[in-house]
Amino acid sequence: VSRAAEFRQEADIVIAFNPHGDAKLMEILAACTGAKIPILLDLDNDFVHMPETHPAYPQYGLGLAENLRAYTAALLLASQITVASQIHAEQLATEGYRVRYLPDGWVRHNSLWEKIMRRRHTINLGWMGSPGQVEEVALIRRMVLRVLREFPHAQLVIGGDAQVYQLFDRLPESRRMFLPPVQAEEYPY
């Protein structure tokens, strides 16, 4: 029995999450394509704009030729692509890909989401994202600044993208905080 026939018996659809970082997963996607099994490609980052300083760059960064080839292949093999950024969706759509915007959500299997946090003297208004989403945050920048002006005990916390943090550089340091990119296990912090 060929691998393609094996997949046809096992799956009606395949959902692949950032597959270009895993050569074996890319082989599976190729076999699924041969078996005419639709592939839903879920990308949690705009890998085209991922900086070399990002902790996941060695595995997913497109500055590495092997990663770029795998990423391009994944886009071409996908029946549908989902991304967590409206602007990223628009970019891929203009390149001719079938793409949908699907915002990120909470992952309940990480028990740190349930951890009781110590009391703070501020209300933290936060955004956590990845490189390539600065345009989207720029659209709401004025509204965020207005909320922060109206509530002096509110603090802005930006995680993951230094360019987004720079959008709010007029705020005093005491009213804003930057958290560098981290692995997914550390998101609850």
Side-chain angles (χ1 to χ4, degrees):
V1 176
S2 73
R3 190 159 189 168
E6 187 180 311
F7 282 113
R8 175 41 83 201
Q9 292 172 2
E10 297 290 325
D12 295 319
I13 187 168
V14 170
I15 301 172
F17 177 72
N18 300 337
H20 69 284
D22 184 338
K24 288 181 183 176
L25 185 52
M26 290 303 298
E27 288 176 21
I28 291 170
L29 294 184
C32 290
T33 299
K36 299 189 179 355
I37 298 172
I39 297 169
L40 174 64
L41 175 63
D42 182 41
L43 301 174
D44 74 339
N45 253 309
D46 180 355
F47 295 102
V48 171
H49 297 102
M50 179 182 262
E52 290 182 25
T53 56
H54 193 285
Y57 188 84
Q59 184 175 5
Y60 296 106
L62 302 185
L64 307 169
E66 181 179 318
N67 292 359
L68 179 59
R69 282 191 300 274
Y71 177 77
T72 303
L75 292 175
L76 293 171
L77 293 174
S79 304
Q80 181 71 55
I81 302 166
T82 59
V83 294
S85 158
Q86 182 68 39
I87 290 177
H88 189 196
E90 291 168 6
Q91 289 170 334
L92 289 171
T94 61
E95 294 172 20
Y97 296 107
R98 292 184 58 182
V99 61
R100 300 273 178 168
Y101 164 59
L102 186 64
D104 280 333
W106 239 330
V107 180
R108 288 267 181 216
H109 71 269
N110 183 340
S111 62
L112 292 177
W113 287 112
E114 306 301 326
K115 182 179 176 185
I116 297 173
M117 301 301 287
R118 61 182 166 87
R119 291 187 85 75
R120 292 187 168 99
H121 298 291
T122 59
I123 294 176
N124 290 339
L125 176 62
W127 176 87
M128 189 162 97
S130 51
Q133 295 176 324
V134 68
E135 294 92 354
E136 291 177 358
V137 178
L139 294 173
I140 62 167
R141 178 183 174 273
R142 289 179 52 185
M143 190 178 313
V144 170
L145 289 171
R146 182 176 172 188
V147 168
L148 290 168
R149 264 194 317 272
E150 290 182 27
F151 298 93
H153 59 287
Q155 176 179 340
L156 180 65
V157 181
I158 300 294
D161 189 341
Q163 287 183 316
V164 171
Y165 183 69
Q166 289 174 353
L167 287 176
F168 300 95
D169 61 358
R170 290 187 180 167
L171 284 173
E173 290 286 331
S174 62
R175 301 282 314 274
R176 62 188 170 116
M177 177 191 307
F178 177 72
L179 300 173
V182 295
Q183 298 297 327
E185 306 83 53
E186 298 176 58
Y187 284 1
Y189 173 77

